[in-house]
Structure formats: C-alpha cells, structure tokens
C-alpha cells in the first residue's frame, strides 16, 4: 500500500455493508489501522518475498478515521454501502490534515469500529478508539497490507494502475493489454467467496442490536477477495 508525505488514498478502498443494527439507535462508524507486529520488513527481489529486516520504528501518533456520515441511525447505515474511499495514508508524523500516519515497510491491519453514540463521547481523530460496552471492532486477515513509498512488485504495480481510477495518467490505452488482462483474471477479484465467523455476545448490549452484522468489502489481498458474514 502506497503512503506519501502529502497523503495517498487507499486502493483498493474498503467498503462495508452492515445489517442487524437497531434502526432507531445512533452509531458512529470509524476505522483505525494498527501494526500487525513489531517488525520492519524489506522486499527481496530475487526471491520475490518480504523478509524481516529488524525491529519496528517507534510508534506513531494514534489516528482514527471517523466516517463523515457519523453519527447516523442504524437504519441509515444499513441501507447504504459504507465506503472508506476518502481515507488517506501518510508517513508524515507531523501531519495536520487528519490522515492516518504509518511507517513505511511495516505490516498493518485495518479495523472497522461500530460505536453506539452514547458510548462515543471520547471518540476523536487523534485519540485511540474508546473501548468497552457499546463498541465493537472487526478486522480480517485478508486486509493486512505492507506500506511502501514505491511498489516493490511489478505485477502489483501493473494491476493497481489498471484498476485504480486515480491512476488514469499512468495508463497507455495503446499498449497490448493481453498480458495484464490475464493477470487480472487470475485473481478472484469480483466474485467473493462467503465465510462465517461467530463472536461472543458483547457484554451489556442486547443481542438484537448487533444481530446478523454482515460486512461486504473490496480490499486486498488481490488473490483472495472475500465477503464476510459475522453473526453475534
């Protein structure tokens, strides 16, 4: 995933579809991105693999992306696809634009948070997401990514340029596209499989508020696009 000083939008963007919320209750939807481990990585070209290169850099200031439609009723959230396409990533630790601050060459995990409004008094773009009753976080192994300032793999470079609407200037409409089309078709990109996870009840929250929370998202890994159905 590319990060820049000025801030770069995530691509592919994350989108979720939620159901089972209380239609009359107000909720915040937010996202943060946390380190997977305490390692720094490097890409080994001759073997086309990521290898551990040492310990992670010092922690960056916490940042949370609060969806701009927040707060909204459960009914509002459930009738739309919730997109995080405006979220931007930066490696500028002095960023004052509200972008998510990350280190390059580290692995990260995005997390989606569903927060009842009455439990979101401490929610802030520059503080960790509050925890406890009325707050639930969801994360998926398929969404782990490695941050870079330049793509390390030529096939990923070509695939992202071809699919990213903001990379239009990099595309050459006159080139032979057969090789790239074969690459794109080799990924299960548009037909997600379905898996089910079961979580324990959230203490203090009636079951019906979070019943059948379903997420449907478009995100890496590029070789395995997955739809998730979460039942609490």
């Amino acid at each position: 995933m590319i990060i820049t000083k000025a801030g770069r939008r995530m691509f592919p963007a994350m989108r979720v579809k939620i159901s089972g919320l209380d239609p009359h209750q107000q909720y915040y939807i937010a996202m943060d991105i946390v380190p997977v481990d305490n390692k720094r990585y490097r890409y080994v070209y001759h073997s086309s693999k990521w290898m551990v290169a040492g310990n992670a850099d010092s922690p960056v200031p916490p940042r949370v992306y609060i969806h701009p439609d927040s707060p909204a009723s459960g009914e509002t959230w459930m009738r739309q696809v919730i997109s995080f396409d405006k979220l931007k990533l930066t490696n500028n630790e002095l960023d004052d634009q509200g972008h998510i601050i990350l280190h390059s060459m580290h692995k990260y995990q995005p997390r989606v948070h569903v927060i009842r409004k009455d439990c979101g008094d401490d929610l802030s773009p520059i503080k960790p997401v509050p925890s406890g009753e009325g707050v639930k976080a969801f994360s998926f192994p398929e969404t782990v990514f490695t941050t870079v300032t330049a793509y390390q793999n030529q096939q990923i470079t070509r695939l992202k340029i071809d699919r990213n609407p903001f990379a239009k200037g990099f595309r050459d409409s006159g080139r032979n596209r057969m090789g790239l089309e074969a690459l794109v078709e080799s990924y299960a990109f548009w037909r997600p499989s379905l898996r089910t996870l079961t979580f324990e009840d959230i203490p203090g929250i009636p079951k019906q508020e979070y019943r059948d929370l379903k997420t449907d998202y478009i995100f890496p890994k590029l070789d395995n696009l997955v739809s998730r159905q979460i039942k609490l």
Side-chain angles (χ1 to χ4, degrees):
M1 193 72 69
I2 290 285
I3 58 175
T4 65
K5 291 290 185 183
R8 176 71 69 88
R9 291 190 182 192
M10 294 178 65
F11 179 80
M14 192 163 184
R15 301 190 302 171
V16 298
K17 185 78 169 71
I18 299 177
S19 65
L21 300 177
D22 182 342
H24 307 293
Q25 181 69 260
Q26 294 282 309
Y27 298 91
Y28 292 94
I29 303 295
M31 180 188 289
D32 66 358
I33 300 177
V34 295
V36 170
D37 53 30
N38 61 351
K39 305 296 183 184
R40 178 182 174 86
Y41 292 82
R42 65 185 178 90
Y43 190 75
V44 181
Y45 291 94
H46 70 270
S47 59
S48 299
K49 293 181 179 180
W50 287 96
M51 305 290 290
V52 173
N55 293 328
D57 295 331
S58 57
V60 296
R63 288 289 173 89
V64 177
Y65 178 82
I66 303 172
H67 195 280
D69 292 345
S70 297
S73 67
E75 180 182 11
T76 299
W77 291 124
M78 289 187 291
R79 68 170 178 240
Q80 66 183 31
V81 174
I82 304 165
S83 176
F84 293 90
D85 60 328
K86 300 290 180 64
L87 183 153
K88 290 187 177 182
L89 309 177
T90 182
N91 58 349
N92 179 11
E93 295 188 35
L94 301 178
D95 173 78
D96 60 359
Q97 302 298 310
H99 304 329
I100 301 290
I101 303 173
L102 305 175
H103 287 305
S104 181
M105 298 297 187
H106 290 60
K107 287 187 178 182
Y108 290 97
Q109 170 74 72
R111 301 187 303 183
V112 176
H113 301 268
V114 180
I115 306 162
R116 255 187 5 217
K117 184 180 179 182
D118 60 326
C119 303
D121 294 340
D122 295 331
L123 185 62
S124 168
I126 58 173
K127 294 181 180 179
V129 175
S131 60
E133 182 180 330
V135 180
K136 184 66 178 177
F138 299 95
S139 60
F140 311 99
E142 292 84 356
T143 64
V144 170
F145 61 83
T146 303
T147 49
V148 295
T149 54
Y151 290 129
Q152 308 295 300
N153 182 299
Q154 185 178 8
Q155 289 185 325
I156 295 297
T157 302
R158 296 172 61 196
L159 181 63
K160 285 206 173 188
I161 287 176
D162 189 68
R163 291 295 182 182
N164 190 345
F166 297 100
K168 193 172 183 179
F170 292 94
R171 290 192 283 269
D172 179 5
S173 59
R175 64 184 170 91
N176 183 347
R177 301 176 54 81
M178 292 302 293
L180 180 57
E181 288 173 356
L183 171 66
V184 171
E185 289 175 0
S186 70
Y187 291 97
F189 205 81
W190 303 115
R191 295 185 179 274
S193 58
L194 184 65
R195 299 177 185 176
T196 300
L197 296 181
T198 301
F199 295 82
E200 295 181 358
D201 294 339
I202 306 171
I205 302 178
K207 268 190 175 181
Q208 59 270 22
E209 288 197 18
Y210 286 95
R211 186 183 63 254
D212 296 333
L213 177 64
K214 299 176 182 177
T215 64
D216 180 41
Y217 60 90
I218 297 177
F219 208 82
K221 289 186 177 179
L222 296 173
D223 61 345
N224 185 21
L225 181 67
V226 179
S227 290
R228 290 282 193 176
Q229 179 175 344
I230 302 171
K231 293 185 178 181
L232 294 109

